[in-house]
Amino acid sequence: MSQQAKWYVVHTYSGHENKVKTNIEKIVENRGMEDVIHEVKVPTEEKVEIKNGKKKIKESKLFPGYVIIKMVMTDESWYLVRNTRGVTGFVGPSSKPIPLTEEEVKSMGVEIVRQDVGINIGDAVRVISGPFETFVGTVEKVNLEKQTFKVKISMFGRETPVELSFLQVEGI
């Protein structure tokens, strides 16, 4: 079997995604299998709901009934995941789970491809798109995971912090 870690999709009982994630992570830790099973994810997205005039941020699962696992497919890892409580099976033919392709992984947003932006804290930047286009500011914080900058821009005679994506700014 393949010795490179790939992303696989596991079908679970509906509503058991987080339990399955926790169970697999505990088993991996207890058996010292971190080199075989790298990551377990339940992809979610934040949605803003307005109820009674109040904003509420609610996290919802992108793929209810599914957990995504980055693992090296071995007989032992397959057996461990397949027999975890709440798992109904891998997505793919029963004898051979099919890993996600690079394109599927990117489109699902499962794995963020880190990029070196060449802009650091304290650097001056110009906003090139969005509502703050043409504003100039100073980078206060870099969030590689969310791929955003916190930039202080001068607006209405005051310094105002705004969060901007890597694609919305350029170094000066």
Side-chain angles (χ1 to χ4, degrees):
M1 289 195 174
S2 169
Q3 287 305 307
Q4 190 180 3
K6 292 193 165 104
W7 288 98
Y8 292 89
V9 179
V10 176
H11 192 262
T12 68
Y13 294 127
S14 188
H16 285 69
E17 302 87 354
N18 291 327
K19 286 180 194 162
V20 167
K21 176 184 190 297
T22 305
N23 288 343
I24 291 172
E25 286 171 344
K26 281 181 184 168
I27 294 167
V28 166
E29 189 179 325
N30 291 341
R31 294 191 183 182
M33 294 181 67
E34 291 89 352
D35 57 329
V36 181
I37 298 178
H38 299 237
E39 261 182 278
V40 183
K41 287 193 173 192
V42 179
T44 58
E45 68 178 346
E46 287 183 351
K47 288 185 178 174
V48 177
E49 288 184 353
I50 299 174
K51 272 191 182 171
N52 303 331
K54 292 183 181 172
K55 275 187 185 179
K56 269 193 171 178
I57 296 175
K58 188 178 179 187
E59 212 169 8
S60 63
K61 294 178 181 77
L62 284 175
F63 312 109
Y66 294 94
V67 173
I68 298 159
I69 303 176
K70 186 173 189 175
M71 62 188 269
V72 177
M73 187 56 72
T74 65
D75 289 339
E76 186 182 11
S77 64
W78 177 84
Y79 183 83
L80 181 145
V81 173
R82 180 70 187 85
N83 291 293
T84 299
R85 182 189 298 253
V87 171
T88 58
F90 280 92
V91 171
S94 59
S95 60
K96 189 174 185 285
I98 306 288
L100 294 171
T101 64
E102 293 285 321
E103 291 77 34
E104 289 169 329
V105 171
K106 280 181 190 159
S107 70
M108 290 168 72
V110 174
E111 195 170 50
I112 297 168
V113 179
R114 304 242 186 267
Q115 59 189 51
D116 181 28
V117 287
I119 297 174
N120 300 306
I121 294 171
D123 288 358
V125 293
R126 178 180 293 112
V127 183
I128 55 173
S129 70
F132 303 106
E133 191 171 350
T134 71
F135 278 88
V136 173
T138 307
V139 176
E140 279 195 323
K141 195 173 182 182
V142 179
N143 186 333
L144 291 172
E145 201 157 293
K146 286 170 61 181
Q147 297 198 345
T148 60
F149 293 115
K150 186 179 250 177
V151 179
K152 248 193 181 159
I153 58 175
S154 183
M155 195 178 351
F156 310 119
R158 290 185 13 205
E159 294 284 302
T160 307
V162 293
E163 191 172 72
L164 302 164
S165 85
F166 285 179
L167 302 173
Q168 287 181 289
V169 299
E170 66 181 8
I172 299 177

PDB file of all heavy atoms in Angstrom, residues 69-92:
ATOM      1  N   ILE A  69      -9.830  12.643   6.702  1.00  0.00           N
ATOM      2  CA  ILE A  69      -8.640  12.205   7.426  1.00  0.00           C
ATOM      3  C   ILE A  69      -7.426  12.188   6.510  1.00  0.00           C
ATOM      4  O   ILE A  69      -7.485  11.634   5.408  1.00  0.00           O
ATOM      5  CB  ILE A  69      -8.851  10.776   7.987  1.00  0.00           C
ATOM      6  CG1 ILE A  69     -10.091  10.736   8.874  1.00  0.00           C
ATOM      7  CG2 ILE A  69      -7.620  10.307   8.752  1.00  0.00           C
ATOM      8  CD1 ILE A  69     -10.438   9.369   9.390  1.00  0.00           C
ATOM      9  N   LYS A  70      -6.323  12.784   6.985  1.00  0.00           N
ATOM     10  CA  LYS A  70      -5.054  12.709   6.260  1.00  0.00           C
ATOM     11  C   LYS A  70      -4.265  11.578   6.895  1.00  0.00           C
ATOM     12  O   LYS A  70      -3.902  11.649   8.075  1.00  0.00           O
ATOM     13  CB  LYS A  70      -4.275  14.020   6.358  1.00  0.00           C
ATOM     14  CG  LYS A  70      -3.026  14.011   5.480  1.00  0.00           C
ATOM     15  CD  LYS A  70      -2.350  15.361   5.454  1.00  0.00           C
ATOM     16  CE  LYS A  70      -1.260  15.371   4.403  1.00  0.00           C
ATOM     17  NZ  LYS A  70      -0.667  16.709   4.259  1.00  0.00           N
ATOM     18  N   MET A  71      -4.022  10.541   6.118  1.00  0.00           N
ATOM     19  CA  MET A  71      -3.371   9.355   6.669  1.00  0.00           C
ATOM     20  C   MET A  71      -2.602   8.572   5.620  1.00  0.00           C
ATOM     21  O   MET A  71      -2.821   8.733   4.423  1.00  0.00           O
ATOM     22  CB  MET A  71      -4.422   8.438   7.304  1.00  0.00           C
ATOM     23  CG  MET A  71      -5.465   7.925   6.318  1.00  0.00           C
ATOM     24  SD  MET A  71      -6.820   7.040   7.099  1.00  0.00           S
ATOM     25  CE  MET A  71      -6.213   5.374   7.059  1.00  0.00           C
ATOM     26  N   VAL A  72      -1.683   7.750   6.110  1.00  0.00           N
ATOM     27  CA  VAL A  72      -0.988   6.800   5.262  1.00  0.00           C
ATOM     28  C   VAL A  72      -1.848   5.541   5.302  1.00  0.00           C
ATOM     29  O   VAL A  72      -2.142   5.023   6.378  1.00  0.00           O
ATOM     30  CB  VAL A  72       0.433   6.494   5.802  1.00  0.00           C
ATOM     31  CG1 VAL A  72       1.118   5.441   4.949  1.00  0.00           C
ATOM     32  CG2 VAL A  72       1.260   7.770   5.870  1.00  0.00           C
ATOM     33  N   MET A  73      -2.276   5.072   4.149  1.00  0.00           N
ATOM     34  CA  MET A  73      -3.178   3.924   4.095  1.00  0.00           C
ATOM     35  C   MET A  73      -2.397   2.623   4.300  1.00  0.00           C
ATOM     36  O   MET A  73      -1.635   2.209   3.440  1.00  0.00           O
ATOM     37  CB  MET A  73      -3.926   3.911   2.755  1.00  0.00           C
ATOM     38  CG  MET A  73      -5.005   2.848   2.667  1.00  0.00           C
ATOM     39  SD  MET A  73      -6.251   2.910   3.961  1.00  0.00           S
ATOM     40  CE  MET A  73      -7.177   4.358   3.532  1.00  0.00           C
ATOM     41  N   THR A  74      -2.581   2.027   5.470  1.00  0.00           N
ATOM     42  CA  THR A  74      -2.006   0.705   5.764  1.00  0.00           C
ATOM     43  C   THR A  74      -3.166  -0.173   6.230  1.00  0.00           C
ATOM     44  O   THR A  74      -4.255   0.334   6.522  1.00  0.00           O
ATOM     45  CB  THR A  74      -0.952   0.788   6.896  1.00  0.00           C
ATOM     46  OG1 THR A  74      -1.624   1.192   8.106  1.00  0.00           O
ATOM     47  CG2 THR A  74       0.169   1.752   6.571  1.00  0.00           C
ATOM     48  N   ASP A  75      -2.915  -1.471   6.323  1.00  0.00           N
ATOM     49  CA  ASP A  75      -3.966  -2.363   6.816  1.00  0.00           C
ATOM     50  C   ASP A  75      -4.394  -1.950   8.218  1.00  0.00           C
ATOM     51  O   ASP A  75      -5.580  -1.916   8.545  1.00  0.00           O
ATOM     52  CB  ASP A  75      -3.477  -3.819   6.828  1.00  0.00           C
ATOM     53  CG  ASP A  75      -3.342  -4.380   5.422  1.00  0.00           C
ATOM     54  OD1 ASP A  75      -3.973  -3.824   4.499  1.00  0.00           O
ATOM     55  OD2 ASP A  75      -2.594  -5.356   5.245  1.00  0.00           O
ATOM     56  N   GLU A  76      -3.409  -1.590   9.068  1.00  0.00           N
ATOM     57  CA  GLU A  76      -3.697  -1.212  10.453  1.00  0.00           C
ATOM     58  C   GLU A  76      -4.498   0.098  10.536  1.00  0.00           C
ATOM     59  O   GLU A  76      -5.481   0.175  11.259  1.00  0.00           O
ATOM     60  CB  GLU A  76      -2.387  -1.074  11.236  1.00  0.00           C
ATOM     61  CG  GLU A  76      -2.607  -0.829  12.708  1.00  0.00           C
ATOM     62  CD  GLU A  76      -1.317  -0.630  13.493  1.00  0.00           C
ATOM     63  OE1 GLU A  76      -0.244  -0.483  12.869  1.00  0.00           O
ATOM     64  OE2 GLU A  76      -1.397  -0.609  14.730  1.00  0.00           O
ATOM     65  N   SER A  77      -4.076   1.123   9.757  1.00  0.00           N
ATOM     66  CA  SER A  77      -4.786   2.409   9.813  1.00  0.00           C
ATOM     67  C   SER A  77      -6.197   2.267   9.242  1.00  0.00           C
ATOM     68  O   SER A  77      -7.149   2.839   9.764  1.00  0.00           O
ATOM     69  CB  SER A  77      -4.005   3.502   9.083  1.00  0.00           C
ATOM     70  OG  SER A  77      -3.887   3.231   7.707  1.00  0.00           O
ATOM     71  N   TRP A  78      -6.335   1.482   8.173  1.00  0.00           N
ATOM     72  CA  TRP A  78      -7.652   1.253   7.579  1.00  0.00           C
ATOM     73  C   TRP A  78      -8.565   0.579   8.603  1.00  0.00           C
ATOM     74  O   TRP A  78      -9.697   1.008   8.816  1.00  0.00           O
ATOM     75  CB  TRP A  78      -7.513   0.362   6.335  1.00  0.00           C
ATOM     76  CG  TRP A  78      -8.827   0.024   5.697  1.00  0.00           C
ATOM     77  CD1 TRP A  78      -9.518   0.791   4.800  1.00  0.00           C
ATOM     78  CD2 TRP A  78      -9.621  -1.145   5.923  1.00  0.00           C
ATOM     79  NE1 TRP A  78     -10.698   0.155   4.459  1.00  0.00           N
ATOM     80  CE2 TRP A  78     -10.776  -1.035   5.130  1.00  0.00           C
ATOM     81  CE3 TRP A  78      -9.463  -2.277   6.715  1.00  0.00           C
ATOM     82  CZ2 TRP A  78     -11.768  -1.999   5.112  1.00  0.00           C
ATOM     83  CZ3 TRP A  78     -10.463  -3.239   6.702  1.00  0.00           C
ATOM     84  CH2 TRP A  78     -11.597  -3.102   5.895  1.00  0.00           C
ATOM     85  N   TYR A  79      -8.048  -0.451   9.271  1.00  0.00           N
ATOM     86  CA  TYR A  79      -8.827  -1.197  10.256  1.00  0.00           C
ATOM     87  C   TYR A  79      -9.221  -0.295  11.425  1.00  0.00           C
ATOM     88  O   TYR A  79     -10.372  -0.303  11.872  1.00  0.00           O
ATOM     89  CB  TYR A  79      -8.020  -2.401  10.764  1.00  0.00           C
ATOM     90  CG  TYR A  79      -8.776  -3.276  11.733  1.00  0.00           C
ATOM     91  CD1 TYR A  79      -9.658  -4.253  11.278  1.00  0.00           C
ATOM     92  CD2 TYR A  79      -8.628  -3.099  13.108  1.00  0.00           C
ATOM     93  CE1 TYR A  79     -10.371  -5.042  12.166  1.00  0.00           C
ATOM     94  CE2 TYR A  79      -9.342  -3.879  14.010  1.00  0.00           C
ATOM     95  CZ  TYR A  79     -10.214  -4.849  13.529  1.00  0.00           C
ATOM     96  OH  TYR A  79     -10.920  -5.619  14.407  1.00  0.00           O
ATOM     97  N   LEU A  80      -8.265   0.514  11.911  1.00  0.00           N
ATOM     98  CA  LEU A  80      -8.511   1.399  13.046  1.00  0.00           C
ATOM     99  C   LEU A  80      -9.652   2.367  12.737  1.00  0.00           C
ATOM    100  O   LEU A  80     -10.584   2.512  13.521  1.00  0.00           O
ATOM    101  CB  LEU A  80      -7.225   2.162  13.372  1.00  0.00           C
ATOM    102  CG  LEU A  80      -7.257   3.132  14.542  1.00  0.00           C
ATOM    103  CD1 LEU A  80      -5.914   3.108  15.231  1.00  0.00           C
ATOM    104  CD2 LEU A  80      -7.592   4.535  14.104  1.00  0.00           C
ATOM    105  N   VAL A  81      -9.569   3.034  11.596  1.00  0.00           N
ATOM    106  CA  VAL A  81     -10.603   4.022  11.230  1.00  0.00           C
ATOM    107  C   VAL A  81     -11.926   3.324  10.956  1.00  0.00           C
ATOM    108  O   VAL A  81     -12.974   3.729  11.445  1.00  0.00           O
ATOM    109  CB  VAL A  81     -10.161   4.859  10.001  1.00  0.00           C
ATOM    110  CG1 VAL A  81     -11.292   5.754   9.516  1.00  0.00           C
ATOM    111  CG2 VAL A  81      -8.935   5.690  10.346  1.00  0.00           C
ATOM    112  N   ARG A  82     -11.879   2.254  10.187  1.00  0.00           N
ATOM    113  CA  ARG A  82     -13.089   1.534   9.783  1.00  0.00           C
ATOM    114  C   ARG A  82     -13.878   1.025  10.986  1.00  0.00           C
ATOM    115  O   ARG A  82     -15.099   0.971  10.963  1.00  0.00           O
ATOM    116  CB  ARG A  82     -12.674   0.361   8.865  1.00  0.00           C
ATOM    117  CG  ARG A  82     -13.806  -0.494   8.343  1.00  0.00           C
ATOM    118  CD  ARG A  82     -14.640   0.258   7.332  1.00  0.00           C
ATOM    119  NE  ARG A  82     -15.819  -0.493   6.950  1.00  0.00           N
ATOM    120  CZ  ARG A  82     -16.969  -0.477   7.621  1.00  0.00           C
ATOM    121  NH1 ARG A  82     -17.087   0.230   8.716  1.00  0.00           N
ATOM    122  NH2 ARG A  82     -18.008  -1.158   7.199  1.00  0.00           N
ATOM    123  N   ASN A  83     -13.174   0.660  12.068  1.00  0.00           N
ATOM    124  CA  ASN A  83     -13.835   0.084  13.236  1.00  0.00           C
ATOM    125  C   ASN A  83     -14.017   1.074  14.387  1.00  0.00           C
ATOM    126  O   ASN A  83     -14.293   0.662  15.512  1.00  0.00           O
ATOM    127  CB  ASN A  83     -13.075  -1.167  13.699  1.00  0.00           C
ATOM    128  CG  ASN A  83     -13.231  -2.283  12.682  1.00  0.00           C
ATOM    129  OD1 ASN A  83     -14.308  -2.804  12.481  1.00  0.00           O
ATOM    130  ND2 ASN A  83     -12.149  -2.602  12.007  1.00  0.00           N
ATOM    131  N   THR A  84     -13.870   2.353  14.106  1.00  0.00           N
ATOM    132  CA  THR A  84     -14.138   3.378  15.114  1.00  0.00           C
ATOM    133  C   THR A  84     -15.645   3.528  15.256  1.00  0.00           C
ATOM    134  O   THR A  84     -16.368   3.549  14.251  1.00  0.00           O
ATOM    135  CB  THR A  84     -13.500   4.724  14.697  1.00  0.00           C
ATOM    136  OG1 THR A  84     -12.089   4.551  14.590  1.00  0.00           O
ATOM    137  CG2 THR A  84     -13.800   5.814  15.709  1.00  0.00           C
ATOM    138  N   ARG A  85     -16.113   3.644  16.498  1.00  0.00           N
ATOM    139  CA  ARG A  85     -17.550   3.793  16.753  1.00  0.00           C
ATOM    140  C   ARG A  85     -18.085   5.026  16.020  1.00  0.00           C
ATOM    141  O   ARG A  85     -17.514   6.104  16.111  1.00  0.00           O
ATOM    142  CB  ARG A  85     -17.792   3.927  18.245  1.00  0.00           C
ATOM    143  CG  ARG A  85     -19.261   4.036  18.615  1.00  0.00           C
ATOM    144  CD  ARG A  85     -19.419   4.374  20.072  1.00  0.00           C
ATOM    145  NE  ARG A  85     -18.851   3.314  20.891  1.00  0.00           N
ATOM    146  CZ  ARG A  85     -19.584   2.443  21.593  1.00  0.00           C
ATOM    147  NH1 ARG A  85     -20.887   2.533  21.592  1.00  0.00           N
ATOM    148  NH2 ARG A  85     -19.000   1.516  22.324  1.00  0.00           N
ATOM    149  N   GLY A  86     -19.167   4.862  15.262  1.00  0.00           N
ATOM    150  CA  GLY A  86     -19.782   5.967  14.533  1.00  0.00           C
ATOM    151  C   GLY A  86     -19.410   5.997  13.059  1.00  0.00           C
ATOM    152  O   GLY A  86     -20.037   6.681  12.275  1.00  0.00           O
ATOM    153  N   VAL A  87     -18.353   5.249  12.673  1.00  0.00           N
ATOM    154  CA  VAL A  87     -17.913   5.225  11.270  1.00  0.00           C
ATOM    155  C   VAL A  87     -18.679   4.136  10.533  1.00  0.00           C
ATOM    156  O   VAL A  87     -18.765   3.001  10.997  1.00  0.00           O
ATOM    157  CB  VAL A  87     -16.388   4.958  11.171  1.00  0.00           C
ATOM    158  CG1 VAL A  87     -15.963   4.721   9.731  1.00  0.00           C
ATOM    159  CG2 VAL A  87     -15.605   6.115  11.762  1.00  0.00           C
ATOM    160  N   THR A  88     -19.236   4.505   9.360  1.00  0.00           N
ATOM    161  CA  THR A  88     -19.930   3.489   8.557  1.00  0.00           C
ATOM    162  C   THR A  88     -19.045   2.986   7.422  1.00  0.00           C
ATOM    163  O   THR A  88     -19.338   1.967   6.821  1.00  0.00           O
ATOM    164  CB  THR A  88     -21.249   4.040   7.973  1.00  0.00           C
ATOM    165  OG1 THR A  88     -20.953   5.187   7.181  1.00  0.00           O
ATOM    166  CG2 THR A  88     -22.209   4.442   9.079  1.00  0.00           C
ATOM    167  N   GLY A  89     -17.958   3.699   7.124  1.00  0.00           N
ATOM    168  CA  GLY A  89     -17.029   3.226   6.097  1.00  0.00           C
ATOM    169  C   GLY A  89     -16.328   4.356   5.384  1.00  0.00           C
ATOM    170  O   GLY A  89     -16.654   5.526   5.567  1.00  0.00           O
ATOM    171  N   PHE A  90     -15.351   3.980   4.574  1.00  0.00           N
ATOM    172  CA  PHE A  90     -14.648   4.945   3.735  1.00  0.00           C
ATOM    173  C   PHE A  90     -15.476   5.206   2.488  1.00  0.00           C
ATOM    174  O   PHE A  90     -16.236   4.354   2.058  1.00  0.00           O
ATOM    175  CB  PHE A  90     -13.285   4.385   3.295  1.00  0.00           C
ATOM    176  CG  PHE A  90     -12.209   4.504   4.333  1.00  0.00           C
ATOM    177  CD1 PHE A  90     -11.966   3.474   5.222  1.00  0.00           C
ATOM    178  CD2 PHE A  90     -11.416   5.647   4.403  1.00  0.00           C
ATOM    179  CE1 PHE A  90     -10.970   3.586   6.170  1.00  0.00           C
ATOM    180  CE2 PHE A  90     -10.415   5.759   5.346  1.00  0.00           C
ATOM    181  CZ  PHE A  90     -10.192   4.730   6.232  1.00  0.00           C
ATOM    182  N   VAL A  91     -15.279   6.378   1.888  1.00  0.00           N
ATOM    183  CA  VAL A  91     -15.925   6.677   0.622  1.00  0.00           C
ATOM    184  C   VAL A  91     -15.071   6.042  -0.464  1.00  0.00           C
ATOM    185  O   VAL A  91     -13.860   6.253  -0.517  1.00  0.00           O
ATOM    186  CB  VAL A  91     -16.075   8.199   0.406  1.00  0.00           C
ATOM    187  CG1 VAL A  91     -16.554   8.502  -0.999  1.00  0.00           C
ATOM    188  CG2 VAL A  91     -17.012   8.783   1.439  1.00  0.00           C
ATOM    189  N   GLY A  92     -15.691   5.243  -1.314  1.00  0.00           N
ATOM    190  CA  GLY A  92     -14.984   4.482  -2.344  1.00  0.00           C
ATOM    191  C   GLY A  92     -15.436   3.039  -2.283  1.00  0.00           C
ATOM    192  O   GLY A  92     -16.201   2.674  -1.397  1.00  0.00           O
TER     193      GLY A  92
END
